[in-house]
């Protein structure tokens, strides 16, 4: 096992003029900001109120063919919408506590949506019937904060729980391993590496990022390959790069780190990331980071920051050479009135007869105002027209008190 510690120093330079690059061309109008940088602003196509109360949106994920998108809510339910029309399709009910993560299965089971929850379960749902088809229970008093499917066979389910990483065989729902010594606090993230399906990366509130080999009989002693220490509680990580050898990491104190998980080298440590992002635009101070977005075609990484008033920006991250966070290259404002929790960019929709066209849609966002906002990537006459339709939602009886989302 190899142990790595965060020790990189932070340097930065003044932002320079840049243009946004994405995996699909977008016809948008450049509008100069006061600091003379070219920035792209996106028009609001529509806004859907997901609930008739003060509950809010946690996460938005797409079906592989982009025919639907699933939205997890603070009501412990998951709703399904059309990403192009915004049409409400139905909902999944069953979890008794906060839904921490949702994800559609791969091509072999395209209609299956999976979800994990603080009720200690991972559940699978049929998106055609909105019925639960299977469930895994992590045990009494457990919470499941994250999950993923992979392994060399593609049938291994990994789950991040209270200081443990658990594994099941999806084919028979039997637990096959439990890692109890690698983390000492809640495991907020687990990801199988896309091009090395036997490798699993986990991240935790204890500040550690662990890499495991999941082949054979999995155990802490023989299968923990390396550890990276971020030094603070980890909120979210993502694997990126041409060969998926890099890792971005967002922490609960809003710092950003860039690592090479294979050799443990730190390629960027942004301890004052919010300040750097805030200085890169003339809008309100960046209060939090939502996610990161990577374009393989452009080989470019953005950190997505937001304000408490509901404005969001894409800030380019330079981790090659001098570490910098550049001027916002895309700004989405006027749709949300509170904290934004999730971003679903649609610029990566593949073309083809079986895929729904994006129709100029840049993407969807969801937040603590309970809204789903759809953003146009052109200057269509539809832009800046906000509407909320009760016909696209299902009004459910409110028999519970509002429960604030777990901080991770």
């Amino acid at each position: 096992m190899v142990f790595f510690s965060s020790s990189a120093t932070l340097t930065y330079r003044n932002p320079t003029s840049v243009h946004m690059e994405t995996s699909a061309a977008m016809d948008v109008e450049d509008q100069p900001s006061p600091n003379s940088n070219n920035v792209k602003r996106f028009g609001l196509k529509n806004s859907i109120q997901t609930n008739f109360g003060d509950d809010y949106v946690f996460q938005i994920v797409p079906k592989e063919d982009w025919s639907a998108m699933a939205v997890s809510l603070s009501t412990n339910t998951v709703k399904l919408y059309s990403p192009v029309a915004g049409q409400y399709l139905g909902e999944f009910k069953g979890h008794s506590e906060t839904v921490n993560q949702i994800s559609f299965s791969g091509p072999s089971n395209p209609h299956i949506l999976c979800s994990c929850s603080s009720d200690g379960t991972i559940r699978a749902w049929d998106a055609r019937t909105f019925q639960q088809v299977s469930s895994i229970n992590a045990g009494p008093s457990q919470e499941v904060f994250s999950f993923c499917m992979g392994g060399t066979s593609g049938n291994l389910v990994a789950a991040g729980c209270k200081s443990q990483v658990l594994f099941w065989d999806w084919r028979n729902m039997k637990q096959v391993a439990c890692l109890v010594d690698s983390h000492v606090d809640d495991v907020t993230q687990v990801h199988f590496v896309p091009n090395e399906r036997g490798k699993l990366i986990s991240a935790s509130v204890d500040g550690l990022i662990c890499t495991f080999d999941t082949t054979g009989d999995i155990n802490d002693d023989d299968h923990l390959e390396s550890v990276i220490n971020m030094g603070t509680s980890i909120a979210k990580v993502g694997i990126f790069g041409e060969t998926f050898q890099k890792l971005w990491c967002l922490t609960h104190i809003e710092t950003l780190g860039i690592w090479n998980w294979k050799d443990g080298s730190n390629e960027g440590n942004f301890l004052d990331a919010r300040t750097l992002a805030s200085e890169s635009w003339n809008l309100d101070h960046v209060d939090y980071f939502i996610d990161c977005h990577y374009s393989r075609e452009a080989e470019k990484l953005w950190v997505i920051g937001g304000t408490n008033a509901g404005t969001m920006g894409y800030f380019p991250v330079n981790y090659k050479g001098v570490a910098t966070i550049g001027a916002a290259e895309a700004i989405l404002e006027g749709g949300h009135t509170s904290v934004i929790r999730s971003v679903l960019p649609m610029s990566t929709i593949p073309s083809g007869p079986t895929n729904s066209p994006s129709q100029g849609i840049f993407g969807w966002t969801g937040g603590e105002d309970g809204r789903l906002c759809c953003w146009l990537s052109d200057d269509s006459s539809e832009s800046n027209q906000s509407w909320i339709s009760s016909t696209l939602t299902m009004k459910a009886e409110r028999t519970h008190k509002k429960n604030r989302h777990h901080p991770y």
Side-chain angles (χ1 to χ4, degrees):
M1 180 189 74
V2 182
F3 183 87
F4 305 106
S5 177
S6 174
S7 60
T9 58
L10 172 67
T11 58
Y12 63 93
R13 63 189 179 192
N14 292 329
T16 57
S17 180
V18 286
H19 291 273
M20 184 170 188
E21 298 176 61
T22 61
S23 54
M26 296 183 294
D27 182 17
V28 295
E29 179 182 358
D30 286 341
Q31 299 182 7
S33 65
N35 62 4
S36 299
N37 287 309
N38 289 329
V39 61
K40 300 192 185 335
R41 294 175 183 266
F42 296 90
L44 181 68
K45 179 183 180 183
N46 62 42
S47 174
I48 301 170
Q49 196 69 30
T50 59
N51 279 285
F52 292 82
D54 54 359
D55 298 301
Y56 48 86
V57 175
F58 287 155
Q59 188 182 7
I60 312 170
V61 300
K63 195 175 177 184
E64 183 162 300
D65 63 0
W66 289 88
S67 62
M69 63 181 183
V71 179
S72 61
L73 305 172
S74 56
T75 53
N76 307 333
T77 62
V78 180
K79 292 189 176 183
L80 203 65
Y81 295 86
S82 162
V84 173
Q87 180 183 2
Y88 170 78
L89 303 175
E91 67 181 344
F92 309 91
K93 290 185 175 181
H95 285 296
S96 58
E97 298 291 342
T98 300
V99 177
N100 294 313
Q101 185 185 338
I102 54 175
S103 177
F104 277 97
S105 295
S108 58
N109 294 289
H111 301 293
I112 298 299
L113 174 73
C114 297
S115 59
C116 72
S117 167
S118 291
D119 63 13
T121 66
I122 302 173
R123 302 177 189 234
W125 314 83
D126 191 321
R128 297 164 296 185
T129 63
F130 299 97
Q131 298 298 309
Q132 180 179 308
V133 292
S134 59
S135 178
I136 291 174
N137 196 315
S141 303
Q142 263 294 10
E143 296 183 58
V144 184
F145 303 112
S146 57
F147 75 96
C148 62
M149 297 184 64
T152 53
S153 66
N155 296 306
L156 195 62
V157 181
C161 303
K162 291 181 177 179
S163 74
Q164 298 178 353
V165 180
L166 305 181
F167 296 89
W168 293 268
D169 187 323
W170 185 251
R171 293 166 295 188
N172 54 28
M173 302 296 173
K174 291 183 178 179
Q175 185 173 319
V176 295
C178 175
L179 303 179
V180 298
D181 298 328
S182 301
H183 291 290
V184 296
D185 213 327
D186 297 346
V187 180
T188 54
Q189 298 274 276
V190 286
H191 295 283
F192 282 105
V193 179
N195 63 341
E196 296 185 53
R197 300 298 288 174
K199 303 290 186 183
L200 180 82
I201 293 176
S202 64
S204 168
V205 173
D206 61 17
L208 302 182
I209 302 172
C210 298
T211 302
F212 300 95
D213 177 5
T214 64
T215 58
D217 295 327
I218 309 168
N219 61 75
D220 288 283
D221 295 332
D222 301 324
H223 291 254
L224 176 60
E225 293 189 337
S226 65
V227 178
I228 292 171
N229 186 2
M230 273 296 293
T232 188
S233 178
I234 298 170
K236 186 178 288 188
V237 299
I239 303 167
F240 73 102
E242 184 178 356
T243 58
F244 301 103
Q245 78 280 15
K246 298 186 186 299
L247 190 77
W248 58 259
C249 174
L250 290 172
T251 72
H252 286 119
I253 60 172
E254 311 300 344
T255 61
L256 169 67
I258 307 295
W259 296 80
N260 184 317
W261 65 266
K262 288 192 174 183
D263 62 18
S265 60
N266 181 266
E267 301 189 6
N269 221 24
F270 300 87
L271 302 180
D272 56 351
R274 278 185 298 180
T275 298
L276 294 176
S278 299
E279 292 173 347
S280 298
W281 65 1
N282 65 322
L283 301 175
D284 292 342
H285 184 81
V286 173
D287 296 301
Y288 55 89
F289 291 115
I290 308 162
D291 209 336
C292 286
H293 176 67
Y294 179 72
S295 167
R296 292 192 70 186
E297 291 78 8
E299 296 183 357
K300 193 167 186 178
L301 179 71
W302 292 269
V303 62
I304 306 172
T307 71
N308 290 333
T311 299
M312 187 186 83
Y314 274 64
F315 300 89
V317 179
N318 179 22
Y319 52 91
K320 300 174 182 178
V322 180
T324 63
I325 293 179
E329 296 180 354
I331 295 176
L332 288 74
E333 60 182 336
H336 290 285
T337 59
S338 187
V339 173
I340 300 170
R341 287 296 194 106
S342 185
V343 181
L344 175 62
M346 292 180 66
S347 58
T348 55
I349 295 181
S351 60
T354 62
N355 298 113
S356 299
S358 64
Q359 297 184 4
I361 297 175
F362 172 73
W364 288 81
T365 55
E368 294 187 6
D369 53 11
R371 292 180 181 177
L372 282 174
C373 290
C374 179
W375 303 89
L376 287 179
S377 60
D378 58 23
D379 56 358
S380 165
S381 59
E382 290 185 76
S383 66
N384 298 319
Q385 300 297 315
S386 174
W387 52 269
I388 300 173
S389 174
S390 60
T391 61
L392 297 186
T393 63
M394 181 180 294
K395 186 173 182 179
E397 293 184 9
R398 295 177 56 81
T399 59
H400 67 285
K401 296 181 180 179
K402 181 180 177 181
N403 180 30
R404 294 289 293 178
H405 190 218
H406 199 285
Y408 41 80

